[in-house]
Amino acid sequence: MDIYVKPKKKAAIVGKEHVVVKDVADVLAATDIQKRVENVRLLTVGGKDGVYLLSIIDVMKAISAALPGHSINNVGEMDTVVSVKAVPPKKRAVVKWLKVALVSLILFTGASTAIMTFHTDSQMGTVFQRYHKIFFGEEVEKPYIINVPYSIGLAVGIVVFFNHFGGKRMTKEPTPIEIEMATYEKDVEDAVIESLSRQEEKEK
């Protein structure tokens, strides 16, 4: 009987004594076999916080020991980082909103400073004054007829670029931030796997 196992790159376990196959992988097999495979024990963590590395070899060995005579096929990751938390963290609304406000303030201040610095370095104000002189034939210190549409266009451009407005996604495509975050998370996971692998090699 064929058993197909698709391990995840990263798995988070909260408040459990044991890590079983279904915690770290998706399983496809005959219904009666699948349930048995999903409940095969892989790790005993004792409900303590920790980070563990599970290779597909560990998963296959555990399944083979519990259900001998079956063909096990890996269709997922080669290594899985298992993050164990003894107790789920308490969610405090006030702390959460304070963090959001602080991050928003930092991002807004940084972004506005970067935009103003760019405009100062490139002498955007002078450029707009010259545009006003070219198109309207008079020199003004603050050409609002150009400044206002430019400011609106800048805001619209930022919204379109980041693909969000008022908490709603404008299209189904991932945003630049989501792509960068996905790349960052992948790099972190690879680094953790490499670190845990080195640690296991030293312990052998």
Side-chain angles (χ1 to χ4, degrees), residues 21-37:
V21 172
K22 66 181 178 182
D23 293 326
V24 301
D26 296 321
V27 178
L28 178 63
T31 305
D32 56 332
I33 300 295
Q34 180 171 329
K35 291 181 179 179
R36 292 173 61 190
V37 172

Side-chain angles (χ1 to χ4, degrees), residues 33-49:
I33 300 295
Q34 180 171 329
K35 291 181 179 179
R36 292 173 61 190
V37 172
E38 287 177 340
N39 291 294
V40 170
R41 187 180 300 178
L42 299 174
L43 286 173
T44 299
V45 295
K48 297 179 180 179
D49 291 358

Side-chain angles (χ1 to χ4, degrees), residues 123-147:
Q123 296 184 340
M124 191 67 75
T126 304
V127 172
F128 286 167
Q129 290 173 0
R130 289 176 180 171
Y131 275 154
H132 195 279
K133 172 67 174 176
I134 292 170
F135 292 108
F136 299 99
E138 61 176 328
E139 292 185 3
V140 293
E141 184 179 354
K142 297 180 180 180
Y144 291 111
I145 197 169
I146 298 176
N147 289 345

